[in-house]
Amino acid sequence: MDGGFEPQVSIDDDRSHQKVNSLTEMVSGNFGCAHYRRRCKIRAPCCDQIFDCRHCHNEAKNSLEVNPLDRHDVPRHDVKRIICSLCNKEQDVQQLCIQCGVCMGNYFCSKCKFFDDDVSKKQYHCDECGICRTGGGENFFHCNKCGCCYSNALKDSHNCVEKAMHHNCPVCFEFLFDTREDIAVLRCGHTIHLECVKEMQRHFQYSCPVCSKSFRDMSRVWEKLDEEVAGTPMPLKYLNKMVWILCNDCGEMSEVNFHILGHKCPKCKSFNTRKTRGGPASCSSRITAMTR
């Protein structure tokens, strides 16, 4: 697994080595921030200020109190100096303090300048992504077209979207590529925070906010809507009215009979359609009601 390595230290005897291990255990969990448990701080190369981690820097430097012209993120790979949280010794980036010998993080990546004590996250470094990720390198593969790591379960089944995670979440607008939250890959290949998908479902929204394709099996809903359309005849003056629709699910454009409840795609049988020409009609509110 890329990123971590066994700590090496020059100590004269076993007693000194045991002392270092004892010191590490004694201070474990007492240092760090809301984002990571670790025993060091970073000196940000962009503003020369000291922060517990890059997230602490980014939150402070992008707050509403900061002048918009001065807001910025720390370039994580450019961090050159760290400060030991135990002895306050400033030094080059390394896993063991050169003064007190404490291990600054059980997981250490020299490429990302990243430290974390919580190895239960199974951190690993992906050279293609250029950053450390969690979940265990053996459980993920890097898709070169999508430009990110996906679960092995998606290796032969996901729809590739170029640079799929190199954009903001379409719901909360947080940048997805290096987010600390869980990501969902929708059927269409677009990515979104898992919690944002759940929030959409709580509001009966089942289409991708990027491309409008359905992201779950809607066949039972379409069957119910079929029954309601059949049981709701249109007035005589609308009986032969035709409209053009575009299916959000299959992309087919068709001319169909106008109906106030919705328009069914003749190709894929989906009601997830939008009218392109003709009289006013929308089935979105009806679909929402039927999925409650």
Side-chain angles (χ1 to χ4, degrees):
M1 184 174 65
D2 293 332
F5 62 84
E6 291 295 322
Q8 302 292 325
V9 60
S10 176
I11 300 177
D12 293 333
D13 54 43
D14 291 340
R15 182 179 300 175
S16 297
H17 185 73
Q18 293 171 3
K19 182 178 179 181
V20 170
N21 289 338
S22 177
L23 180 61
T24 300
E25 293 173 3
M26 181 180 68
V27 300
S28 179
N30 295 335
F31 294 92
C33 60
H35 307 103
Y36 303 113
R37 283 166 28 204
R38 59 208 294 182
R39 283 167 291 280
C40 67
K41 303 177 186 293
I42 64 169
R43 182 176 291 281
C46 43
C47 53
D48 201 37
Q49 296 181 24
I50 297 173
F51 294 89
D52 284 307
C53 73
R54 68 181 185 89
H55 295 292
C56 292
H57 169 281
N58 295 345
E59 289 174 2
K61 293 301 181 179
N62 290 288
S63 68
L64 295 178
E65 290 75 22
V66 176
N67 186 320
L69 297 177
D70 295 328
R71 295 174 189 172
H72 65 281
D73 290 343
V74 65
R76 70 169 82 183
H77 297 98
D78 294 342
V79 173
K80 296 290 192 295
R81 304 287 286 175
I82 58 173
I83 297 91
C84 176
S85 299
L86 269 71
C87 66
N88 293 319
K89 173 67 175 178
E90 184 165 346
Q91 55 202 281
D92 292 336
V93 176
Q94 53 203 303
Q95 190 172 20
L96 302 178
C97 176
I98 59 173
Q99 180 161 288
C100 69
V102 71
C103 176
M104 298 184 194
N106 289 327
Y107 176 80
F108 168 62
C109 176
S110 59
K111 297 177 181 178
C112 294
K113 321 298 171 57
F114 175 52
F115 303 80
D116 193 2
D117 261 354
D118 186 6
V119 293
S120 66
K121 300 173 186 176
K122 297 183 179 180
Q123 300 94 327
Y124 69 98
H125 181 86
C126 174
D127 284 324
E128 288 82 3
C129 285
I131 61 175
C132 289
R133 297 203 175 278
T134 59
E138 70 281 3
N139 299 317
F140 292 84
F141 74 99
H142 183 87
C143 176
N144 290 321
K145 183 174 181 179
C146 295
C148 49
C149 287
Y150 285 153
S151 167
N152 288 336
L154 297 174
K155 192 164 189 177
D156 300 316
S157 60
H158 77 286
N159 288 316
C160 284
V161 173
E162 190 169 359
K163 295 190 178 298
M165 286 207 298
H166 294 257
H167 62 82
N168 296 337
C169 172
V171 174
C172 69
F173 302 110
E174 180 188 354
F175 190 59
L176 288 175
F177 184 68
D178 56 2
T179 182
R180 297 171 64 241
E181 307 300 326
D182 291 334
I183 298 295
V185 183
L186 305 183
R187 288 181 170 186
C188 55
H190 292 119
T191 52
I192 183 174
H193 282 127
L194 179 59
E195 190 54 43
C196 290
V197 172
K198 293 179 180 179
E199 184 66 20
M200 288 177 61
Q201 292 177 324
R202 285 192 283 268
H203 290 82
F204 308 103
Q205 299 296 320
Y206 302 104
S207 58
C208 171
V210 178
C211 67
S212 297
K213 291 182 184 294
S214 301
F215 61 71
R216 54 167 278 187
D217 182 7
M218 300 290 286
S219 56
R220 294 183 65 184
V221 177
W222 303 153
E223 289 173 5
K224 291 181 181 179
L225 197 49
D226 255 334
E227 294 174 1
E228 294 213 12
V229 168
T232 312
M234 294 297 294
L236 187 60
K237 67 176 182 178
Y238 291 116
L239 199 57
N240 297 314
K241 181 175 178 59
M242 305 296 290
V243 292
W244 281 92
I245 61 168
L246 173 67
C247 179
N248 293 323
D249 286 339
C250 72
E252 187 80 2
M253 187 170 285
S254 312
E255 187 178 25
V256 299
N257 285 102
F258 168 75
H259 200 285
I260 192 64
L261 296 182
H263 301 119
K264 182 178 181 178
C265 173
K267 181 180 179 181
C268 70
K269 314 305 180 186
S270 169
F271 277 92
N272 181 16
T273 61
R274 65 182 74 185
K275 179 181 58 63
T276 59
R277 284 180 285 163
S282 173
C283 69
S284 59
S285 60
R286 192 64 187 154
I287 294 172
T288 297
M290 296 181 67
T291 53
R292 288 182 186 274

